[in-house]
């Protein structure tokens, strides 16, 4: 059976027939333009042998396309009120398995074991925008389970994910995403592609395994706390931003000296540093602020 739901009238009719009220609080915006699910299939390079994990199937629009192309689809949805709709719209695809739950609470490795999923899985989803970053961080936490992540996000968020040093969109989100993956903006999607129309434009982003290994970090949490501090006051010199962001721990001169040792201008702003440079700087500052017991002067 061909996917049929990415259509304004059919979507309205399914919603009305089931008396379903759309919940804005769950980020429910349903696709009604068939070009978008087709574009997601291409961007995610979904093939006949793939197992796909979809977060938030909604009424099953993208799910129908995934089910038509992939070997197996696991779709995880929070809103149980969608059960009767999904029972109808996904019935023609026996290769789609619906799981009820909250993606932020689900133990994904346990779920995949329970479902006897073999080999890495591709993620394809039109994400609920209110929890985009926590979902991505959750997926990255379990990176080994996935061989690619293709998601629709708010356009502005997609641009921040893909931005490089010196650009206005570059920030903590760019660095945390790029530590785990190589992001690529696949295509933009206008508000008119959804019911109800969101106020913002959207973009499909594909995240693939980094082509170069991620830099080694002495302490990942420490590095990312410095990155957040650097961009909290992005117009400030990095040495001032880090001193203000980690009060009492770092001294301005210490940061400036570490930057000079790295061959960088001590007056540089954080927005000019690459991920590798943030890694090197934070590793140096970590070693200075966390001396080994034997290093301590009595
Ligand atoms: N995939 C559908 C489409 O493209 O038309 C709907 C996407 S809609 C933007 C996001 C979906 O995520 C909704 O169905 C919503 O109920 C679901 N959702 C929201 N929060 C969730 C969570 N924490 N875990 C799983 N699904 C969630």
């Amino acid at each position: 059976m061909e996917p049929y739901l990415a259509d304004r009238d059919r979507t309205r009719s399914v919603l009305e027939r089931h008396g379903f009220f759309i919940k804005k609080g769950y980020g429910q915006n349903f696709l009604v333009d068939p070009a978008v699910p087709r574009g997601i299939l291409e961007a995610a390079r979904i093939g006949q042998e793939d197992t796909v994990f979809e977060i938030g199937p909604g009424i099953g629009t993208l799910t129908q396309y995934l089910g038509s192309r992939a070997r197996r689809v696991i779709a995880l949805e929070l809103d149980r009120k969608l059960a009767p709709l999904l029972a109808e719209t996904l019935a023609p695809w026996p290769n789609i398995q619906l799981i009820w739950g909250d993606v932020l609470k689900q133990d994904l490795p346990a779920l995949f074991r329970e479902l006897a999923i073999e080999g890495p899985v591709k993620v394809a989803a039109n994400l609920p925008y209110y929890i985009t970053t926590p979902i991505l961080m959750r997926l990255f936490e379990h990176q080994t389970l996935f061989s690619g992540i293709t998601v629709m996000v708010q356009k502005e968020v997609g641009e921040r994910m893909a931005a490089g040093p010196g650009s206005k969109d570059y920030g903590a989100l760019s660095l945390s995403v790029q530590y785990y993956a190589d992001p690529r903006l696949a295509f933009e999607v206008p508000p008119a592609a959804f019911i109800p129309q969101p106020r913002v434009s959207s973009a499909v982003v594909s995240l693939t395994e980094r082509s170069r290994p991620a830099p080694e970090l002495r302490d990942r949490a420490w590095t990312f706390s410095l990155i957040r501090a650097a961009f909290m006051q992005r117009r400030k010199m990095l040495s001032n931003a880090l001193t203000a962001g980690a009060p009492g721990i770092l001294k301005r001169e210490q940061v400036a000296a570490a930057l000079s040792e790295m061959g960088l201008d001590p007056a540089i702003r954080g927005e000019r540093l690459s991920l590798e440079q943030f890694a090197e700087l934070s590793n140096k500052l970590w070693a200075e602020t966390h001396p080994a017991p034997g290093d301590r002067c009595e």
Side-chain angles (χ1 to χ4, degrees):
M1 171 133 174
E2 285 293 305
Y4 62 86
L5 261 184
D7 174 275
R8 197 167 293 277
D9 293 339
R10 291 194 197 122
T11 297
R12 285 223 175 91
S13 131
V14 171
L15 293 171
E16 277 168 23
R17 208 152 19 82
H18 288 271
F20 182 81
F21 291 101
I22 288 173
K23 295 179 198 66
K24 279 195 178 167
Y26 280 0
Q28 291 178 346
N29 299 91
F30 303 129
L31 280 168
V32 290
D33 177 351
V36 181
R38 282 192 206 120
I40 294 176
L41 288 185
E42 293 320 307
R45 294 171 198 225
I46 305 293
Q48 288 176 350
E49 294 309 311
D50 284 325
T51 299
V52 183
F53 178 52
E54 185 191 11
I55 299 154
I59 64 168
T61 311
L62 173 61
T63 330
Q64 291 189 341
Y65 283 80
L66 296 169
S68 302
R69 175 81 66 94
R71 186 171 66 86
R72 186 173 178 194
V73 179
I74 312 299
L76 175 69
E77 173 59 56
L78 177 65
D79 185 1
R80 283 177 181 267
K81 288 255 160 61
L82 287 162
L85 286 85
L86 286 167
E88 175 191 314
T89 61
L90 301 182
W93 288 274
N95 56 334
I96 298 174
Q97 214 167 338
L98 195 55
I99 308 287
W100 299 103
D102 180 339
V103 66
L104 298 181
K105 297 196 180 135
Q106 196 80 40
D107 180 341
L108 294 177
L111 174 69
F112 284 20
R113 270 196 307 276
E114 223 171 274
L115 297 172
I117 290 174
E118 283 158 18
V121 167
K122 289 182 177 166
V123 176
N126 170 15
L127 290 183
Y129 292 171
Y130 73 107
I131 43 172
T132 299
T133 307
I135 291 179
L136 289 176
M137 294 306 143
R138 200 110 226 279
L139 297 177
F140 290 146
E141 220 178 281
H142 302 296
Q143 213 175 10
T144 51
L145 299 177
F146 306 111
S147 61
I149 300 174
T150 301
V151 282
M152 172 114 63
V153 297
Q154 199 176 319
K155 182 180 158 210
E156 189 210 346
V157 173
E159 286 168 348
R160 280 164 44 207
M161 284 158 68
S167 114
K168 69 170 176 34
D169 297 320
Y170 186 56
L173 180 65
S174 327
L175 287 156
S176 21
V177 167
Q178 291 166 28
Y179 174 70
Y180 293 101
D182 286 339
R184 180 179 68 88
L185 279 180
F187 60 97
E188 290 180 19
V189 180
F194 304 88
I195 284 182
Q197 292 195 15
R199 274 185 306 228
V200 292
S201 287
S202 303
V204 171
V205 179
S206 91
L207 300 156
T208 47
E209 196 184 334
R210 281 178 55 99
S211 54
R212 288 182 297 153
E216 299 262 341
L217 303 179
R218 298 290 296 268
D219 178 338
R220 204 189 306 179
W222 163 259
T223 301
F224 283 102
S225 70
L226 293 192
I227 288 173
R228 278 193 300 277
F231 287 97
M232 207 96 80
Q233 296 172 302
R234 61 185 296 144
R235 309 303 300 164
K236 277 197 174 183
M237 289 195 303
L238 181 58
S239 54
N240 283 337
L242 293 191
T243 320
I249 301 174
L250 292 171
K251 296 193 178 61
R252 205 176 79 76
E253 304 69 41
Q254 195 178 16
V255 179
L259 287 167
S260 296
E261 270 175 44
M262 290 168 60
L264 294 172
D265 178 357
I268 198 166
R269 287 182 185 153
E271 63 194 10
R272 306 223 69 92
L273 263 65
S274 66
L275 173 62
E276 284 68 21
Q277 288 169 323
F278 267 115
E280 187 180 346
L281 177 69
S282 63
N283 285 345
K284 271 182 192 296
L285 295 172
W286 190 90
E288 287 178 24
T289 49
H290 300 74
D295 296 347
R296 200 161 289 158
C297 299
E298 293 299 324

